[in-house]
Amino acid sequence: MNRPLPQNVPHVVIVGGGFGGLETARRLKRADVRVTMIDRHNYHLFQPLLYQVATGGLSPANIATPLRSIVRRQANCEVLMGEVIGFDVAQRRLILADDELQYDFLVLAAGATHSYFGRDEWAKFAPGLKTISDAADIRGRIYVAFEAAEREPDPEIRKSLMTFVVVGGGPTGVELAGALAEIARHTLKRDFRHIRPQDARIIIVEAAPRILSHYPDDLCEQAIKKVRSLGIEVMIDTKVTDINDTAVHLSTPNGDTVVRTKTVLWGAGVQANPLGRLLADDAGVTTDRGGRIPVTPTCQIENHNNVFAIGDIAVCLDESGKPLPGLAAVAVQQGAHVASVIKQSITQPGRTLSPFRYSNKGSMATIGRAAAVAQIGSYKTCGWFAWILWLFVHLMLIVQFQNRLLILIQWAWSYATFNRSNRIILGEPALFRKSAKSKTQDTSA
Amino acid sequence: MNRPLPQNVPHVVIVGGGFGGLETARRLKRADVRVTMIDRHNYHLFQPLLYQVATGGLSPANIATPLRSIVRRQANCEVLMGEVIGFDVAQRRLILADDELQYDFLVLAAGATHSYFGRDEWAKFAPGLKTISDAADIRGRIYVAFEAAEREPDPEIRKSLMTFVVVGGGPTGVELAGALAEIARHTLKRDFRHIRPQDARIIIVEAAPRILSHYPDDLCEQAIKKVRSLGIEVMIDTKVTDINDTAVHLSTPNGDTVVRTKTVLWGAGVQANPLGRLLADDAGVTTDRGGRIPVTPTCQIENHNNVFAIGDIAVCLDESGKPLPGLAAVAVQQGAHVASVIKQSITQPGRTLSPFRYSNKGSMATIGRAAAVAQIGSYKTCGWFAWILWLFVHLMLIVQFQNRLLILIQWAWSYATFNRSNRIILGEPALFRKSAKSKTQDTSA
């Protein structure tokens, strides 16, 4: 049965069904409002586990839950699958590709995408990891590279097929590299006849002097040791100067070098969803270099008290004036804050709004098989126990019971057998056909 | 470690890693041969459950197992991911897109694809179900249709969005229609605000006078009752005369009619993989209307004792001179037979080869939630017990232990909750954008 939506109450429109948008919607459950959540996709994506999809450990459906299921029981909320293409804050209108919506409150929570720092031509050689399509693309490239290497007679090309470069030593880069190491050293160990997957070369390239640089020094040290113990090369203070279909060009402290590779994964830069700039222009504010909208301490847009921006699309300063990091936890807490601001604006208009305060509950990142770094308050740990913590926290966070159980079984099985069940390569493997024909000119680093 | 492949032994090349090809390879495990299995994909697809992927009940990885994992422990077998583009039976050469292979024995087991009976322009409006990409496409269309209906103001267009036509009343068509009914009546029941998914109209169109026509009359009767009890309309003796993006044109015993619909699924025709015709031309034989290669009772190609064709790409006559049906069971048994013929040709050359005899162990098809028809020898049943049989048999058949367990859990969960977890819509939902803009001219049937 269709329960009717509440009528004649303020209309809250939320753009984006990610961590921030979803939390805003849920926190408005008992508020006297009507909520419309718009997303281009029909699912909420649990991005922290996207690297597992990209490396074949999980299926997309394990980490993507239909938005309609999540808010099914929330009587004042409806979900629209649609594409936002513009704003009209003066008229309180949101413009969709094929429709328009009138709102009383607008919450923009459309997230971020990758940034190639002005070198967008690198995108086709070095895919980033933000969407399920990205993950399927990366998974295809990884497994196709091994398939092509198995068939490649030329030892130089074979070597380049078995070289994997991950650009960026943040959590995503380290997680991808760790999973790659596990695939090469364990999952595929016995699967080939002409290559030894264990010989694959995996390189993390990081422009800064450290990887996982937002963790404290001692944790970083331990993490880098753990990463190296997996056979992953870590090149710090190293900048990418060019990427093409056969090589990555690097500028290192010891001079320029070229690494011949067919597989480059991009975990380096992030920029706000282009909707950020569109809203900023319409609202008369200026985005930062990453395209993020500046917001007030209450997550509102300057001079537009009924328009909010949260999560990766917004730049919100903490008490010390530093921008908050682009973490799911920040988006979730901002979502809850915005919901309470909206409720207060309705029930107690004119009362001073309290500013958003991010409460850092800690952060963690995995490093390959059964190892992680974790920082929870002043408690820091690196290794197996950190991984168990990571596993527990992430399973608890996933929205649906079914997925939690399935993921646990899938992981238990993978852990026991080193297997990754979702190694299927979809679509037309372009690299595969090309590799056997194209010859490489570069000499290797 | 790479175990070396046996040298200086006959080379068996198998094209296709489906039921027939895989069985041939496995049965040659202890033979004194070297086996190369070639497939365009890196996985074996368990096609009987593909309709579950197309309707969101299972993930692709649940029914697709990497071929390399399956034959990992078979020391005389290697897997190549590659595309066959030609044959040279005189020189015993197989031509790949980027390579050539010399063989002593060739087994063609490349399966079938859909046939639109010369109306290939229907393909884009009415996708068939043979590959994982097909399944993802169909899944997207089904769920996008409900999303678009939710947003559609025009009641006529909304009705057409909620009308689903399945062409073909064979097992695939009935399974798809049954799953569609379950989605509309249960899975999505509470998910929308402006439509009642339960009101969706689901129609099976069948040119013959019966659906599931290869089952005995009494089972057919029961099946059709069961199908109708799910609220599915069954139009028999009805031919499709045209399909476009807004309607299906039908010729029924009561005259011509037009059904306005945005979603047509094709389960009607099947034709052999085009490689069948290529091999036939090269070997000097003539394919049948469905492009299938005629084979001798020993599954060999006339005048080419070292070339075999099995499964859906071959037409093999039973003792009474009738062609064997295109079932997985036939392909598997043919694979085993071909393996033994190859072994005998090597160890006892010149001895008369025994003909292939298909042993019919029975067949079964599901009809929506917890119902199926099954025929095992003279035992026939329709209903819940048939479904339990179906479930048991199919779980036992799936290659990997992990998948069996995961699928069982997924089904148990779906059964208890009516939920389908894999409802994600990937890519750009073209129908979705178009539907809200395009206006339909046809008047409804």
Short mmCIF file of all heavy atoms in Angstrom, two decimals, chain A residues 51-52 171 174-179 182 212 215 219 222-230 232 364-374 381-391 394 415 420:
data_model
loop_
_atom_site.label_atom_id
_atom_site.label_comp_id
_atom_site.label_asym_id
_atom_site.label_seq_id
_atom_site.Cartn_x
_atom_site.Cartn_y
_atom_site.Cartn_z
N TYR A 51 37.06 -0.71 -2.61
CA TYR A 51 38.31 -1.32 -3.07
C TYR A 51 38.20 -2.85 -3.08
O TYR A 51 38.89 -3.52 -3.85
CB TYR A 51 39.51 -0.86 -2.22
CG TYR A 51 39.69 -1.64 -0.95
CD1 TYR A 51 40.60 -2.68 -0.87
CD2 TYR A 51 38.93 -1.34 0.16
CE1 TYR A 51 40.76 -3.42 0.28
CE2 TYR A 51 39.08 -2.07 1.33
CZ TYR A 51 39.99 -3.10 1.38
OH TYR A 51 40.12 -3.84 2.52
N GLN A 52 37.33 -3.40 -2.24
CA GLN A 52 37.13 -4.86 -2.25
C GLN A 52 36.41 -5.31 -3.52
O GLN A 52 36.65 -6.40 -4.03
CB GLN A 52 36.32 -5.30 -1.03
CG GLN A 52 37.10 -5.33 0.27
CD GLN A 52 37.95 -6.59 0.40
OE1 GLN A 52 37.84 -7.52 -0.40
NE2 GLN A 52 38.80 -6.63 1.39
N PRO A 171 44.70 6.23 2.19
CA PRO A 171 44.05 4.95 2.50
C PRO A 171 43.63 4.16 1.26
O PRO A 171 43.87 2.96 1.18
CB PRO A 171 42.84 5.37 3.33
CG PRO A 171 43.20 6.68 3.91
CD PRO A 171 44.09 7.35 2.92
N VAL A 174 46.71 2.64 -0.49
CA VAL A 174 47.31 1.56 0.29
C VAL A 174 46.42 0.33 0.30
O VAL A 174 46.90 -0.80 0.16
CB VAL A 174 47.61 2.06 1.74
CG1 VAL A 174 48.01 0.90 2.64
CG2 VAL A 174 48.70 3.12 1.71
N GLU A 175 45.11 0.54 0.40
CA GLU A 175 44.19 -0.59 0.38
C GLU A 175 44.23 -1.32 -0.96
O GLU A 175 44.29 -2.55 -1.02
CB GLU A 175 42.76 -0.12 0.70
CG GLU A 175 42.56 0.11 2.19
CD GLU A 175 41.28 0.87 2.54
OE1 GLU A 175 40.66 1.45 1.65
OE2 GLU A 175 40.92 0.87 3.73
N LEU A 176 44.23 -0.56 -2.05
CA LEU A 176 44.32 -1.17 -3.38
C LEU A 176 45.63 -1.94 -3.55
O LEU A 176 45.64 -3.07 -4.02
CB LEU A 176 44.22 -0.10 -4.46
CG LEU A 176 42.82 0.35 -4.88
CD1 LEU A 176 42.92 1.54 -5.83
CD2 LEU A 176 42.06 -0.79 -5.54
N ALA A 177 46.73 -1.33 -3.16
CA ALA A 177 48.04 -1.98 -3.32
C ALA A 177 48.09 -3.26 -2.48
O ALA A 177 48.60 -4.30 -2.92
CB ALA A 177 49.16 -1.02 -2.95
N GLY A 178 47.55 -3.18 -1.26
CA GLY A 178 47.55 -4.36 -0.40
C GLY A 178 46.74 -5.49 -1.00
O GLY A 178 47.16 -6.66 -1.00
N ALA A 179 45.58 -5.14 -1.55
CA ALA A 179 44.73 -6.17 -2.17
C ALA A 179 45.41 -6.74 -3.42
O ALA A 179 45.34 -7.95 -3.68
CB ALA A 179 43.37 -5.59 -2.52
N GLU A 182 47.89 -9.25 -2.38
CA GLU A 182 47.24 -10.50 -1.99
C GLU A 182 46.81 -11.31 -3.21
O GLU A 182 46.97 -12.53 -3.25
CB GLU A 182 46.03 -10.16 -1.12
CG GLU A 182 45.42 -11.36 -0.46
CD GLU A 182 44.15 -10.99 0.30
OE1 GLU A 182 44.10 -9.87 0.86
OE2 GLU A 182 43.23 -11.81 0.31
N LEU A 212 49.98 7.31 4.03
CA LEU A 212 48.99 7.40 5.12
C LEU A 212 49.30 8.59 6.03
O LEU A 212 49.30 8.48 7.26
CB LEU A 212 48.98 6.10 5.94
CG LEU A 212 48.51 4.84 5.22
CD1 LEU A 212 48.66 3.62 6.11
CD2 LEU A 212 47.06 4.96 4.77
N TYR A 215 47.92 9.89 9.53
CA TYR A 215 48.10 9.16 10.78
C TYR A 215 49.37 9.68 11.48
O TYR A 215 50.25 10.24 10.82
CB TYR A 215 48.23 7.66 10.52
CG TYR A 215 46.92 7.02 10.13
CD1 TYR A 215 46.56 6.89 8.79
CD2 TYR A 215 46.03 6.57 11.10
CE1 TYR A 215 45.33 6.35 8.43
CE2 TYR A 215 44.81 6.03 10.74
CZ TYR A 215 44.47 5.91 9.42
OH TYR A 215 43.27 5.38 9.08
N LEU A 219 52.63 5.44 13.76
CA LEU A 219 51.75 4.54 13.02
C LEU A 219 52.17 4.45 11.55
O LEU A 219 52.17 3.38 10.95
CB LEU A 219 50.30 5.01 13.10
CG LEU A 219 49.41 4.39 14.17
CD1 LEU A 219 47.97 4.83 13.96
CD2 LEU A 219 49.49 2.87 14.16
N GLN A 222 55.08 2.14 11.17
CA GLN A 222 54.67 0.72 11.22
C GLN A 222 53.95 0.32 9.93
O GLN A 222 54.17 -0.75 9.39
CB GLN A 222 53.73 0.51 12.41
CG GLN A 222 54.44 0.54 13.75
CD GLN A 222 53.44 0.31 14.88
OE1 GLN A 222 52.81 1.23 15.37
NE2 GLN A 222 53.28 -0.96 15.28
N ALA A 223 53.09 1.23 9.45
CA ALA A 223 52.32 0.92 8.24
C ALA A 223 53.25 0.72 7.05
O ALA A 223 53.09 -0.22 6.27
CB ALA A 223 51.32 2.04 7.95
N ILE A 224 54.24 1.60 6.93
CA ILE A 224 55.13 1.50 5.78
C ILE A 224 55.93 0.20 5.84
O ILE A 224 56.16 -0.46 4.82
CB ILE A 224 56.03 2.75 5.66
CG1 ILE A 224 56.47 2.93 4.21
CG2 ILE A 224 57.23 2.70 6.57
CD1 ILE A 224 57.03 4.30 3.91
N LYS A 225 56.31 -0.22 7.07
CA LYS A 225 57.01 -1.50 7.22
C LYS A 225 56.11 -2.65 6.78
O LYS A 225 56.53 -3.55 6.06
CB LYS A 225 57.40 -1.70 8.70
CG LYS A 225 58.86 -1.39 8.98
CD LYS A 225 59.21 -1.76 10.40
CE LYS A 225 60.17 -0.72 10.95
NZ LYS A 225 60.13 -0.63 12.41
N LYS A 226 54.87 -2.58 7.23
CA LYS A 226 53.90 -3.63 6.88
C LYS A 226 53.68 -3.68 5.36
O LYS A 226 53.68 -4.75 4.76
CB LYS A 226 52.58 -3.32 7.61
CG LYS A 226 51.51 -4.37 7.44
CD LYS A 226 51.78 -5.62 8.26
CE LYS A 226 51.11 -6.81 7.61
NZ LYS A 226 51.58 -8.10 8.13
N VAL A 227 53.54 -2.51 4.76
CA VAL A 227 53.33 -2.44 3.31
C VAL A 227 54.52 -3.05 2.58
O VAL A 227 54.36 -3.85 1.65
CB VAL A 227 53.09 -0.97 2.87
CG1 VAL A 227 53.19 -0.84 1.36
CG2 VAL A 227 51.74 -0.49 3.35
N ARG A 228 55.72 -2.69 3.02
CA ARG A 228 56.92 -3.22 2.36
C ARG A 228 57.05 -4.73 2.57
O ARG A 228 57.53 -5.44 1.69
CB ARG A 228 58.17 -2.48 2.86
CG ARG A 228 58.21 -1.05 2.37
CD ARG A 228 59.62 -0.47 2.35
NE ARG A 228 59.70 0.66 1.43
CZ ARG A 228 60.02 1.91 1.78
NH1 ARG A 228 60.35 2.20 3.03
NH2 ARG A 228 60.04 2.87 0.88
N SER A 229 56.59 -5.21 3.73
CA SER A 229 56.69 -6.65 4.00
C SER A 229 55.79 -7.45 3.06
O SER A 229 55.96 -8.65 2.89
CB SER A 229 56.32 -6.95 5.46
OG SER A 229 54.92 -6.91 5.61
N LEU A 230 54.82 -6.78 2.46
CA LEU A 230 53.95 -7.45 1.47
C LEU A 230 54.60 -7.45 0.09
O LEU A 230 53.98 -7.90 -0.88
CB LEU A 230 52.59 -6.76 1.39
CG LEU A 230 51.72 -6.81 2.65
CD1 LEU A 230 50.51 -5.90 2.49
CD2 LEU A 230 51.26 -8.24 2.90
N ILE A 232 55.47 -4.72 -1.54
CA ILE A 232 55.04 -3.54 -2.29
C ILE A 232 56.16 -2.50 -2.23
O ILE A 232 56.69 -2.22 -1.15
CB ILE A 232 53.74 -2.96 -1.69
CG1 ILE A 232 52.61 -3.98 -1.79
CG2 ILE A 232 53.37 -1.64 -2.35
CD1 ILE A 232 51.39 -3.64 -0.98
N MET A 364 40.73 4.36 10.53
CA MET A 364 41.48 3.13 10.29
C MET A 364 41.56 2.85 8.80
O MET A 364 40.73 3.31 8.02
CB MET A 364 40.84 1.95 11.02
CG MET A 364 39.32 1.96 11.10
SD MET A 364 38.68 0.58 12.07
CE MET A 364 39.02 1.14 13.74
N ALA A 365 42.61 2.11 8.43
CA ALA A 365 42.78 1.73 7.03
C ALA A 365 43.41 0.36 6.99
O ALA A 365 44.28 0.04 7.80
CB ALA A 365 43.67 2.73 6.29
N THR A 366 42.96 -0.48 6.05
CA THR A 366 43.56 -1.82 5.95
C THR A 366 44.80 -1.79 5.08
O THR A 366 44.95 -0.96 4.19
CB THR A 366 42.60 -2.84 5.29
OG1 THR A 366 42.06 -2.25 4.12
CG2 THR A 366 41.52 -3.26 6.22
N ILE A 367 45.67 -2.75 5.33
CA ILE A 367 46.89 -2.92 4.54
C ILE A 367 46.94 -4.39 4.16
O ILE A 367 47.49 -5.21 4.88
CB ILE A 367 48.15 -2.59 5.35
CG1 ILE A 367 48.02 -1.23 6.02
CG2 ILE A 367 49.39 -2.64 4.46
CD1 ILE A 367 49.05 -1.00 7.11
N GLY A 368 46.31 -4.73 3.04
CA GLY A 368 46.38 -6.13 2.61
C GLY A 368 45.70 -7.07 3.57
O GLY A 368 44.77 -6.70 4.29
N ARG A 369 46.16 -8.31 3.55
CA ARG A 369 45.50 -9.40 4.24
C ARG A 369 45.73 -9.31 5.75
O ARG A 369 46.84 -9.43 6.23
CB ARG A 369 46.11 -10.70 3.71
CG ARG A 369 45.55 -11.95 4.28
CD ARG A 369 46.17 -13.12 3.53
NE ARG A 369 46.21 -14.31 4.36
CZ ARG A 369 45.17 -15.11 4.53
NH1 ARG A 369 44.04 -14.84 3.95
NH2 ARG A 369 45.30 -16.17 5.29
N ALA A 370 44.64 -9.11 6.48
CA ALA A 370 44.66 -9.21 7.92
C ALA A 370 45.64 -8.26 8.58
O ALA A 370 46.31 -8.60 9.55
CB ALA A 370 44.95 -10.65 8.35
N ALA A 371 45.75 -7.05 8.07
CA ALA A 371 46.54 -6.03 8.75
C ALA A 371 45.89 -4.69 8.50
O ALA A 371 45.28 -4.46 7.46
CB ALA A 371 47.98 -6.02 8.26
N ALA A 372 46.01 -3.81 9.49
CA ALA A 372 45.42 -2.49 9.35
C ALA A 372 46.12 -1.54 10.31
O ALA A 372 46.89 -1.97 11.17
CB ALA A 372 43.92 -2.53 9.65
N VAL A 373 45.89 -0.26 10.10
CA VAL A 373 46.28 0.72 11.12
C VAL A 373 44.99 1.31 11.66
O VAL A 373 44.03 1.51 10.93
CB VAL A 373 47.16 1.87 10.56
CG1 VAL A 373 48.54 1.37 10.22
CG2 VAL A 373 46.53 2.54 9.36
N ALA A 374 45.00 1.59 12.95
CA ALA A 374 43.82 2.18 13.57
C ALA A 374 44.25 3.20 14.60
O ALA A 374 45.25 2.99 15.32
CB ALA A 374 42.96 1.10 14.21
N THR A 381 47.13 1.47 16.96
CA THR A 381 47.58 0.09 16.79
C THR A 381 47.75 -0.22 15.31
O THR A 381 47.10 0.38 14.47
CB THR A 381 46.60 -0.91 17.47
OG1 THR A 381 47.03 -2.23 17.17
CG2 THR A 381 45.19 -0.73 16.96
N CYS A 382 48.65 -1.14 15.03
CA CYS A 382 48.92 -1.53 13.65
C CYS A 382 49.08 -3.03 13.61
O CYS A 382 49.80 -3.59 14.44
CB CYS A 382 50.19 -0.85 13.13
SG CYS A 382 50.63 -1.33 11.44
N GLY A 383 48.39 -3.72 12.72
CA GLY A 383 48.59 -5.16 12.59
C GLY A 383 47.28 -5.91 12.58
O GLY A 383 46.27 -5.40 12.10
N TRP A 384 47.30 -7.12 13.15
CA TRP A 384 46.19 -8.01 13.04
C TRP A 384 44.99 -7.53 13.85
O TRP A 384 43.87 -7.53 13.39
CB TRP A 384 46.61 -9.41 13.52
CG TRP A 384 45.62 -10.47 13.21
CD1 TRP A 384 45.43 -11.09 12.00
CD2 TRP A 384 44.66 -11.03 14.10
NE1 TRP A 384 44.41 -12.00 12.10
CE2 TRP A 384 43.92 -11.99 13.37
CE3 TRP A 384 44.35 -10.83 15.45
CZ2 TRP A 384 42.91 -12.74 13.96
CZ3 TRP A 384 43.34 -11.57 16.02
CH2 TRP A 384 42.63 -12.52 15.27
N PHE A 385 45.28 -7.04 15.08
CA PHE A 385 44.19 -6.60 15.93
C PHE A 385 43.49 -5.39 15.32
O PHE A 385 42.25 -5.28 15.37
CB PHE A 385 44.69 -6.29 17.35
CG PHE A 385 43.59 -5.87 18.27
CD1 PHE A 385 42.60 -6.77 18.65
CD2 PHE A 385 43.50 -4.56 18.73
CE1 PHE A 385 41.55 -6.37 19.48
CE2 PHE A 385 42.47 -4.16 19.56
CZ PHE A 385 41.49 -5.07 19.94
N ALA A 386 44.27 -4.51 14.72
CA ALA A 386 43.68 -3.35 14.06
C ALA A 386 42.75 -3.80 12.94
O ALA A 386 41.70 -3.20 12.69
CB ALA A 386 44.77 -2.43 13.50
N TRP A 387 43.12 -4.89 12.28
CA TRP A 387 42.30 -5.40 11.18
C TRP A 387 40.97 -5.95 11.68
O TRP A 387 39.93 -5.74 11.10
CB TRP A 387 43.09 -6.47 10.41
CG TRP A 387 42.38 -6.96 9.18
CD1 TRP A 387 42.26 -6.31 7.99
CD2 TRP A 387 41.68 -8.19 9.03
NE1 TRP A 387 41.54 -7.06 7.10
CE2 TRP A 387 41.17 -8.22 7.71
CE3 TRP A 387 41.44 -9.28 9.87
CZ2 TRP A 387 40.44 -9.30 7.22
CZ3 TRP A 387 40.71 -10.35 9.39
CH2 TRP A 387 40.22 -10.35 8.07
N ILE A 388 41.06 -6.67 12.80
CA ILE A 388 39.82 -7.20 13.41
C ILE A 388 38.90 -6.04 13.80
O ILE A 388 37.69 -6.07 13.56
CB ILE A 388 40.18 -8.07 14.65
CG1 ILE A 388 40.91 -9.34 14.21
CG2 ILE A 388 38.93 -8.41 15.45
CD1 ILE A 388 40.06 -10.31 13.41
N LEU A 389 39.49 -5.00 14.38
CA LEU A 389 38.72 -3.81 14.71
C LEU A 389 38.06 -3.23 13.46
O LEU A 389 36.88 -2.90 13.45
CB LEU A 389 39.66 -2.73 15.28
CG LEU A 389 39.78 -2.60 16.78
CD1 LEU A 389 40.76 -1.50 17.12
CD2 LEU A 389 38.42 -2.31 17.40
N TRP A 390 38.87 -3.11 12.41
CA TRP A 390 38.39 -2.54 11.15
C TRP A 390 37.22 -3.35 10.60
O TRP A 390 36.19 -2.82 10.22
CB TRP A 390 39.57 -2.53 10.16
CG TRP A 390 39.21 -2.06 8.78
CD1 TRP A 390 39.25 -0.78 8.32
CD2 TRP A 390 38.78 -2.87 7.69
NE1 TRP A 390 38.85 -0.74 7.00
CE2 TRP A 390 38.56 -2.01 6.59
CE3 TRP A 390 38.57 -4.24 7.52
CZ2 TRP A 390 38.14 -2.47 5.35
CZ3 TRP A 390 38.13 -4.70 6.29
CH2 TRP A 390 37.92 -3.81 5.22
N LEU A 391 37.41 -4.68 10.63
CA LEU A 391 36.39 -5.58 10.12
C LEU A 391 35.10 -5.41 10.91
O LEU A 391 34.02 -5.25 10.34
CB LEU A 391 36.91 -7.02 10.27
CG LEU A 391 36.14 -8.12 9.57
CD1 LEU A 391 36.23 -7.94 8.07
CD2 LEU A 391 36.71 -9.48 9.96
N HIS A 394 33.40 -2.00 10.26
CA HIS A 394 32.81 -1.87 8.94
C HIS A 394 31.60 -2.77 8.75
O HIS A 394 30.63 -2.40 8.11
CB HIS A 394 33.86 -2.07 7.85
CG HIS A 394 34.73 -0.87 7.70
ND1 HIS A 394 35.81 -0.64 8.52
CD2 HIS A 394 34.65 0.21 6.88
CE1 HIS A 394 36.36 0.52 8.19
NE2 HIS A 394 35.68 1.05 7.20
N TYR A 415 39.56 -15.63 3.63
CA TYR A 415 40.67 -15.67 4.55
C TYR A 415 41.22 -17.08 4.67
O TYR A 415 42.42 -17.31 4.66
CB TYR A 415 40.23 -15.16 5.92
CG TYR A 415 41.38 -14.96 6.85
CD1 TYR A 415 42.19 -13.84 6.73
CD2 TYR A 415 41.68 -15.91 7.82
CE1 TYR A 415 43.26 -13.66 7.57
CE2 TYR A 415 42.75 -15.73 8.66
CZ TYR A 415 43.55 -14.61 8.54
OH TYR A 415 44.63 -14.44 9.36
N ARG A 420 39.38 -15.25 -4.10
CA ARG A 420 38.51 -14.10 -4.34
C ARG A 420 37.52 -14.56 -5.38
O ARG A 420 37.89 -14.87 -6.50
CB ARG A 420 39.31 -12.92 -4.89
CG ARG A 420 40.09 -12.24 -3.83
CD ARG A 420 40.95 -11.10 -4.33
NE ARG A 420 41.56 -10.54 -3.16
CZ ARG A 420 41.13 -9.45 -2.53
NH1 ARG A 420 40.12 -8.78 -3.01
NH2 ARG A 420 41.72 -9.04 -1.44
#
